[in-house]
Amino acid sequence: SDVNNGFEDVDMHNAIVAPGFIEIQTNGLLGFHFTNFENKELYQSELSRVGKYLLSTGVVGFYPTLPTVAASVFQQILPLLHKQEFSDAATILGAHVEGPFLAPARKGAHN
């Protein structure tokens, strides 16, 4: 009988294979808050810097979180938080959005 049950053995040359972490809620990191928007180029640069740091900690994907901010801030930032994959940084998986705009009748502390 086939000992490998149809699977191929792969020599990993003593490398460690481990799962990566997914960060589901972070408002910012390294002195950068995801609501701080000056211009698109600087914002993308900060996202990349955060993604590189997160990858160094074992995080392979993350959701930048936007807390309650003015609608105009959401409109500037949300288009930049689409899924983005990088070769040297954690993947941006999309945005985690908080705030009263989602369900105004159940806004709780998000006033």
Side-chain angles (χ1 to χ4, degrees), residues 43-57:
Y43 197 83
Q44 284 295 140
S45 174
E46 291 294 322
L47 286 175
S48 176
R49 187 169 69 96
V50 166
K52 287 177 185 178
Y53 173 77
L54 286 172
L55 187 61
S56 77
T57 69

Side-chain angles (χ1 to χ4, degrees), residues 32 34 36 39-47 77 80:
F32 174 65
F34 294 125
N36 292 344
N39 63 61
K40 183 178 178 178
E41 293 75 26
L42 180 59
Y43 197 83
Q44 284 295 140
S45 174
E46 291 294 322
L47 286 175
I77 295 173
L80 304 176

Side-chain angles (χ1 to χ4, degrees), residues 22-85:
I22 304 295
E23 175 61 62
I24 62 171
Q25 180 178 5
T26 184
N27 293 75
L29 204 58
L30 305 173
F32 174 65
H33 195 281
F34 294 125
T35 59
N36 292 344
F37 181 85
E38 293 181 35
N39 63 61
K40 183 178 178 178
E41 293 75 26
L42 180 59
Y43 197 83
Q44 284 295 140
S45 174
E46 291 294 322
L47 286 175
S48 176
R49 187 169 69 96
V50 166
K52 287 177 185 178
Y53 173 77
L54 286 172
L55 187 61
S56 77
T57 69
V59 173
V60 297
F62 69 108
Y63 289 92
T65 301
L66 299 179
T68 300
V69 292
S72 61
V73 176
F74 277 131
Q75 292 167 354
Q76 285 181 315
I77 295 173
L78 279 178
L80 304 176
L81 297 180
H82 57 86
K83 183 176 181 180
Q84 300 174 57
E85 295 183 18

